[in-house]
Amino acid sequence: IPNPVATAKEEIYNNATTRVLGDVYAEWEFLKDLKLKVSLGMDIMYLKQNKYTPSNIYQSLGIASAKVGVNRSINWLNENILTWNKTFKDIHSLNILGGFTIQRNNVESVTGASSNFVNDVMKYNNLGAGSIYDKPESSATQWSLMSYLARINYSLYDRYLFSVNGRVDGSSRFGLNNQYGFFPSFSAAWRVSNENFFENAKKVIDDMKVRLSYGTVGNAEIGDYASMARYENKRLPFGKDMTTIVTLKSMANPDLRWEKSRQLDAGIDLSFFNGRIEFMADYYHKITTDLLYELQLPSNSGYEKTMTNLGKIRNQGLEMSLNT
């Protein structure tokens, strides 16, 4: 068992992260009530890892080792949103939105290591001083997302509220035949407490709203390159030496598509005694189709697995909350 005091004092394991977050935008109202907003955001991260295990502690087994790793991530997002707001005769309120967005993420990493140093003077600052070189590692990944979106909000007398949404999302993670998915939704609400017949009830109930909505959302959280044929490196003995070979790991699926969840929700919101008590109740019915599933393949196929759309799930229930 390693000595915890020696490990804490002698082993060096430093992680240093530099991160820059920022965004810039511009708005232009080129016509009355019509406004264009263009924004660009950046998230840049640089991670440096240094590790050194001297030869005089248990887990080193008498051989000093050092490892250095560098990871760089750049994520940028561009949004272009056009909105139109208009109020008619103080009773009609209309908001129309249309937009185009694109996002891209690039990640690169490299790691080097060596062991059996003559002394502990250089630590991880000179990997070439070690007489035993470990296998270097490096990787580079990229994903991108592009979306077209539209929304219409309409309000009448601030009592009857309607909203219609539609968006088309395209992800590089899916097969070439199904990279885009269409996700519509709509909602309606009736603020009963704003009706004239509700005046007497306002002594107890401040606000009452009935809601109904139905919509579709998509899931693309499957990792990068899941729809493509992927390979992996393996170290195998070849004579007296070890050699690196490349083997098939996952089978390509050019028809891999978005996982979709369709949900119906009906609810009511109540507020009592100037907001001192709030009650909310919702009934929901959700069906998820084209589940993203990593399917294990028989060994005689030459592959280990493939990502596919498989299965269907239904969730339904009642949610209630009381705030006081």
Side-chain angles (χ1 to χ4, degrees), residues 225-238:
Y225 313 114
S227 66
M228 300 181 181
R230 287 176 291 171
Y231 302 85
E232 67 176 350
N233 301 328
K234 288 185 178 179
R235 295 279 289 173
L236 296 176
F238 186 77

Side-chain angles (χ1 to χ4, degrees), residues 3-252:
N3 185 304
V5 177
T7 300
K9 288 188 174 183
E10 301 296 332
E11 189 173 44
I12 300 173
Y13 194 9
N14 294 330
N15 291 301
T17 302
T18 302
R19 189 171 188 180
V20 178
L21 289 162
D23 66 89
V24 60
Y25 73 90
E27 285 186 339
W28 179 29
E29 189 172 5
F30 52 93
L31 292 175
K32 183 175 176 56
D33 304 316
L34 187 62
K35 185 184 297 183
L36 174 65
K37 181 178 180 180
V38 179
S39 64
L40 177 65
M42 296 287 291
D43 181 0
I44 303 174
M45 182 158 38
Y46 177 83
L47 173 65
K48 178 73 180 299
Q49 296 178 318
N50 297 320
K51 184 176 183 180
Y52 185 76
T53 304
S55 59
N56 61 349
I57 61 176
Y58 176 84
Q59 56 265 46
S60 68
L61 301 177
I63 299 177
S65 62
K67 183 177 181 180
V68 176
V70 175
N71 183 286
R72 186 192 67 177
S73 171
I74 300 177
N75 189 308
W76 60 266
L77 170 66
N78 169 237
E79 295 182 325
N80 308 275
I81 306 296
L82 187 66
T83 56
W84 184 66
N85 287 287
K86 190 68 175 179
T87 301
F88 304 93
K89 299 181 180 179
D90 296 327
I91 59 174
H92 303 278
S93 178
L94 184 64
N95 174 270
I96 300 176
L97 178 148
F100 167 76
T101 71
I102 186 169
Q103 184 177 12
R104 177 164 292 179
N105 185 75
N106 293 277
V107 178
E108 293 183 46
S109 65
V110 61
T111 302
S114 63
S115 58
N116 198 23
F117 292 85
V118 176
N119 56 50
D120 297 324
V121 175
M122 299 299 294
K123 298 182 173 61
Y124 49 74
N125 295 306
N126 187 359
L127 296 180
S131 60
I132 301 175
Y133 296 157
D134 294 344
K135 182 182 68 173
E137 298 178 355
S138 64
S139 67
T141 60
Q142 176 181 285
W143 60 262
S144 56
L145 182 69
M146 185 165 62
S147 303
Y148 303 89
L149 50 100
R151 183 188 69 204
I152 300 175
N153 290 334
Y154 172 70
S155 171
L156 176 62
Y157 291 109
D158 197 28
R159 302 174 193 168
Y160 314 105
L161 313 172
F162 303 92
S163 179
V164 178
N165 298 269
R167 60 182 299 137
V168 175
D169 293 318
S171 173
S172 62
R173 291 174 170 172
F174 294 107
L176 294 175
N177 300 333
N178 291 298
Q179 288 188 328
Y180 287 88
F182 175 57
F183 307 102
S185 65
F186 78 89
S187 63
W190 177 26
R191 194 175 295 278
V192 185
S193 54
N194 282 2
E195 297 287 356
N196 294 329
F197 63 79
F198 203 82
E199 286 298 323
N200 293 331
K202 280 193 172 182
K203 297 176 182 178
V204 178
I205 305 176
D206 319 320
D207 186 58
M208 178 179 178
K209 184 166 69 174
V210 180
R211 298 176 280 102
L212 179 69
S213 65
Y214 179 82
T216 305
V217 296
N219 176 28
E221 296 305 314
I222 54 174
D224 300 323
Y225 313 114
S227 66
M228 300 181 181
R230 287 176 291 171
Y231 302 85
E232 67 176 350
N233 301 328
K234 288 185 178 179
R235 295 279 289 173
L236 296 176
F238 186 77
K240 296 181 180 180
D241 300 319
M242 297 293 291
T243 186
T244 301
I245 66 170
V246 178
T247 63
L248 294 169
K249 184 176 183 181
S250 63
M251 185 171 65

Side-chain angles (χ1 to χ4, degrees), residues 255-269:
D255 295 320
L256 188 69
R257 57 188 177 273
W258 287 80
E259 178 182 294
K260 293 185 177 181
S261 296
R262 299 174 177 87
Q263 179 166 326
L264 172 70
D265 187 280
I268 184 170
D269 300 334

